[in-house]
């Protein structure tokens, strides 16, 4: 019997991880510069020292190994390695500069690079810490792989496979290199738009930059302990909402705004996303109207639905006071998430549309002859059978991970609704909390949320491949022959 699969080429993976380490060293330079501007020399030394060390290690690995052409499985493994390793490297200077336990710093770093926003940090960690984790969310939103593609890797099969492993078939230019550069420009432009909106709404420059980084990456970290609830009036929540929506819309659509604006506004996924926002806001308003506390219909109702649906994770009030019904609405919106090709997490609106399309097709075929061919399409996109298999696999694994994570929380005495809420928030990379997540949380529950956040950002399959022994070790073939007696 032939081998069904072979392990990845460790040297090939290592070579391109060297590329990644070189790129990530420059990512760490930015918090170092911020620390110098904020007159925190000690933090600057920690970030600078880590950056130099990472650059040296990456250069050694890169120069020691020859050029390889990556297979698809190796590209998936690289994507799976990048996020936990990025969090580990970021956690080193974060822990040293703040005095946080390393595991808590790793939790914060994972929450940053996965654009989640759950936090176990102390309230007095300082402005360098606040900037560093906001910067981490911004880099995690666009993906460090995109930086590597745009700057270091030559066009070709390897670049295409790394791109596809991270972004799928989303292309707006003839080559993946030109596509990544266009996506990078879009990301920078909407970030600048967000900064301007927040400045106009009354935020300070520091707060505007940090929040803009987290809004367009739909991350949700805030410079304030009470999140957006710390700001008075409706202008800042409105600016935050617009910024989060900019990040939750597919980046592929933005170039059409100047050339073919009608293609932007007639996009089915965008229209369904906005429709679900409206429906969710109506249902959430109904559940809030039955609560025994005062709320602002715009600031609290619509803002919270936008925050959950875009998976940004900001809040304007303490969510622990919500009823089971209100929490259920937010959980459902977190599950759906934003658009494919955006920085939003969750299942994604396109997959929800595809799921409904599959159900409709199954029901339709009950009334048609068996030999009838019923192709499935969403706009101009023809749905292949592989996409349906991938959808079913993803939904099954997503549900299984959610159930197991929630059950572990319940073993620690967390009630069912809060257990599902926290697990859904981590798995959909949202960052909303019903009051369970905090520094005093048991280390096992922190570990569960870390795993959920990584699953949510990497989208499950690559991370499972990373953990499979067959990915790394060649299985022995059974050469024994059957002997007739």
């Amino acid at each position: 019997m032939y081998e069904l699969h072979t392990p990845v080429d460790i040297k090939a993976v290592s070579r391109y991880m060297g590329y990644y380490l070189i790129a990530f060293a420059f990512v760490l330079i930015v918090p170092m510069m911020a620390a110098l501007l904020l007159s925190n020399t000690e933090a600057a030394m920690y970030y600078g020292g880590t950056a130099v060390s990472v650059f040296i290690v990456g250069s050694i690995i890169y120069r020691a190994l020859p050029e390889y052409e990556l297979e698809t499985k190796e590209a998936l493994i690289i994507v799976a390695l990048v996020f936990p390793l990025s969090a580990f490297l970021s956690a080193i200077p974060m822990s040293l500069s703040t005095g946080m336990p390393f595991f808590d710093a790793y939790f914060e770093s994972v929450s940053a690079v996965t654009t989640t926003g759950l936090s176990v940090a102390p309230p007095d960690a300082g402005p360098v810490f606040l900037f560093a984790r906001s910067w981490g969310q911004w880099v995690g939103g666009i993906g460090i792989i995109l930086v590597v593609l745009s700057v270091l890797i030559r066009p070709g099969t390897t670049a295409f496979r790394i791109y596809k492993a991270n972004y799928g078939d989303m292309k707006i230019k003839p080559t993946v290199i030109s596509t990544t550069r266009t996506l990078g420009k879009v990301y920078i432009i909407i970030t600048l738009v967000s900064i301007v909106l927040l400045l106009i709404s009354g935020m300070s420059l520091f707060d505007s930059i940090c929040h803009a980084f987290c809004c367009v990456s739909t991350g949700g970290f805030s410079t304030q302990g009470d999140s957006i609830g710390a700001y008075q009036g409706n202008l800042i929540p409105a600016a935050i909402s617009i910024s989060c929506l900019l990040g939750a819309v597919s980046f592929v659509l933005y170039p059409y705004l100047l050339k073919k604006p009608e293609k932007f506004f007639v996009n089915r996924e965008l229209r369904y996303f906005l429709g679900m926002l409206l429906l969710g806001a109506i249902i959430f308003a109904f559940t809030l109207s039955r609560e025994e506390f005062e709320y602002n219909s715009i600031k609290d109702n619509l803002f919270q639905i936008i925050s959950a649906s875009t998976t940004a994770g900001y809040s304007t009030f303490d969510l622990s006071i919500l009823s089971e019904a209100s929490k259920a609405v937010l959980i459902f919106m977190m599950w759906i998430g934003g658009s494919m090709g955006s920085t939003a997490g969750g299942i994604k609106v396109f997959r929800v549309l595809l799921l409904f399309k599959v159900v409709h097709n199954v029901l339709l075929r009950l009334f048609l002859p068996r030999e009838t061919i019923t192709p499935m399409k969403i706009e101009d996109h023809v749905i292949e059978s592989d996409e349906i298999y991938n959808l079913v696999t993803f939904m099954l694994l997503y549900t299984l991970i959610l159930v197991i994570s929630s059950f572990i929380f319940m073993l620690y005495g967390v009630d069912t609704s809060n257990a599902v809420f926290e697990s859904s928030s981590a798995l959909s990379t949202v960052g909303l909390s019903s009051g369970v997540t905090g520094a005093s949380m048991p280390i096992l529950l922190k570990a569960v949320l870390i795993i959920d956040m990584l699953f949510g950002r990497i989208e499950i399959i690559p991370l499972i491949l990373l953990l499979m022994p067959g990915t790394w070790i060649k299985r022995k073939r059974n050469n024994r022959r059957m002997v007739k007696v």
Side-chain angles (χ1 to χ4, degrees):
M1 180 179 177
Y2 294 103
E3 286 292 325
L4 296 178
H5 74 278
T6 56
V8 298
D9 189 330
I10 296 177
K11 290 183 178 179
V13 172
S14 300
R15 162 81 178 190
Y16 287 95
M17 289 305 293
Y19 273 123
Y20 148 74
L21 289 173
I22 292 171
F24 196 74
F26 290 96
V27 171
L28 292 171
I29 290 293
V30 176
M32 183 199 77
M33 295 172 64
L36 290 174
L37 289 172
L38 294 167
S39 302
N40 191 331
T41 307
E42 185 180 15
M45 290 177 60
Y46 289 134
Y47 277 98
T50 306
V52 171
S53 301
V54 170
F55 183 84
I56 292 173
V57 172
S59 298
I60 292 172
I61 294 172
Y62 164 70
R63 294 180 183 277
L65 297 170
E67 193 76 35
Y68 290 91
E69 185 173 294
L70 290 181
E71 299 292 336
T72 300
K73 60 191 175 187
E74 290 156 356
L76 288 170
I77 291 302
I78 288 172
V79 170
L81 284 169
V82 159
F83 289 96
L85 184 56
S86 296
F88 178 82
L89 296 174
S90 300
I92 295 171
M94 182 180 289
S95 176
L96 292 172
S97 60
T98 61
M100 291 172 61
F102 183 79
F103 195 80
D104 284 2
Y106 185 68
F107 184 101
E108 291 293 312
S109 297
V110 169
S111 189
V113 299
T114 60
T115 70
T116 304
L118 288 171
S119 180
V120 295
D124 56 348
V128 175
F129 165 78
L130 296 175
F131 176 85
R133 68 176 188 175
S134 298
W135 169 248
Q137 285 203 326
W138 193 79
V139 171
I142 195 63
I144 188 63
I145 293 294
L146 188 145
V147 177
V148 174
L149 279 169
S150 301
V151 179
L152 297 176
I153 298 180
R154 296 195 305 268
T157 304
T158 293
F160 172 76
R161 285 174 176 163
I162 291 179
Y163 176 90
K164 188 172 182 179
N166 204 47
Y167 299 101
D169 295 319
M170 180 183 68
K171 281 178 66 178
I172 52 179
K173 294 287 183 179
T175 67
V176 296
I177 302 298
S178 58
T179 296
T180 55
R181 288 173 180 167
T182 300
L183 293 176
K185 290 175 184 176
V186 168
Y187 198 54
I188 291 170
I189 290 170
I190 64 174
T191 302
L192 293 174
V193 170
S194 177
I195 292 173
V196 171
L197 285 174
L198 292 168
L199 284 171
I200 293 173
S201 67
M203 266 193 187
S204 67
L205 178 61
F206 179 79
D207 283 7
S208 295
I209 292 173
C210 290
H211 282 92
F213 283 165
C214 299
C215 285
V216 299
S217 64
T218 59
F221 277 139
S222 177
T223 57
Q224 305 297 323
D226 294 329
S227 191
I228 309 305
Y231 298 99
Q232 299 297 317
N234 291 326
L235 282 179
I236 288 177
I240 291 286
S241 297
I242 294 170
S243 301
C244 293
L245 287 170
L246 290 175
V249 173
S250 176
F251 288 7
V252 174
L253 295 178
Y254 283 113
Y256 292 116
L257 271 175
L258 297 177
K259 298 178 180 179
K260 298 178 181 178
E262 68 279 0
K263 193 165 184 177
F264 180 93
F265 293 105
V266 300
N267 179 263
R268 180 173 294 185
E269 186 181 23
L270 177 60
R271 288 189 285 118
Y272 272 82
F273 174 57
L274 296 176
M276 288 178 182
L277 276 177
L278 180 60
L279 179 62
I282 293 171
I283 298 173
F284 191 58
F286 174 75
T287 62
L288 284 182
S289 67
R290 306 170 72 86
E291 303 287 337
E292 295 181 357
F293 67 91
E294 294 183 1
Y295 69 96
N296 183 301
S297 60
I298 296 177
K299 184 178 178 180
D300 296 327
N301 176 19
L302 187 57
F303 178 89
Q304 215 55 68
I305 287 296
I306 291 175
S307 180
S309 297
T310 61
T311 70
Y314 287 113
S315 58
T316 54
F317 61 93
D318 183 5
L319 301 183
S320 64
I321 64 176
L322 291 176
S323 67
E324 305 294 294
S326 297
K327 289 178 184 175
V329 176
L330 292 181
I331 289 171
F332 184 74
M333 301 306 290
M334 289 192 291
W335 285 346
I336 295 174
S339 301
M340 295 288 283
S342 70
T343 60
I347 294 170
K348 303 289 198 311
V349 176
F350 181 83
R351 286 197 183 103
V352 174
L353 289 178
L354 180 54
L355 188 62
F356 280 116
K357 199 76 175 177
V358 170
V359 172
H360 175 265
N361 203 51
V362 169
L363 295 175
L364 181 64
R365 289 188 63 84
L366 294 175
F367 299 93
L368 297 173
R370 294 187 63 182
E371 62 273 11
T372 303
I373 299 175
T374 52
M376 289 192 293
K377 290 180 63 177
I378 296 179
E379 293 185 330
D380 298 330
H381 181 72
V382 178
I383 309 301
E384 303 291 342
S385 57
D386 283 350
E387 290 184 78
I388 298 174
Y389 296 145
N390 290 338
L391 172 67
V392 173
T393 303
F394 177 84
M395 294 299 296
L396 177 62
L397 291 173
Y398 188 95
T399 304
L400 184 63
I401 293 167
L402 179 62
V403 169
I404 293 173
S405 301
S406 301
F407 181 70
I408 294 173
F409 269 83
M410 286 185 274
L411 288 177
Y412 275 82
V414 180
D415 62 81
T416 303
S417 64
N418 285 330
V420 175
F421 193 97
E422 300 295 312
S423 300
S424 299
S425 182
L427 189 55
S428 294
T429 66
V430 181
L432 291 175
S433 176
S434 59
V436 176
T437 301
S440 61
M441 187 168 58
I443 193 168
L444 178 60
L445 296 187
K446 292 177 183 177
V448 168
L449 292 181
I450 286 173
I451 294 170
D452 285 348
M453 290 187 283
L454 290 170
F455 270 126
R457 180 61 179 88
I458 303 171
E459 296 217 323
I460 302 177
I461 298 295
L463 196 56
I464 290 178
L465 289 177
L466 179 66
L467 300 174
M468 289 175 61
T471 300
W472 306 100
I473 304 170
K474 187 178 178 67
R475 294 182 299 180
K476 293 182 180 180
R477 292 177 60 181
N478 188 355
N479 293 321
R480 292 179 300 176
R481 295 181 179 180
M482 298 293 292
V483 179
K484 291 186 178 181
V485 180

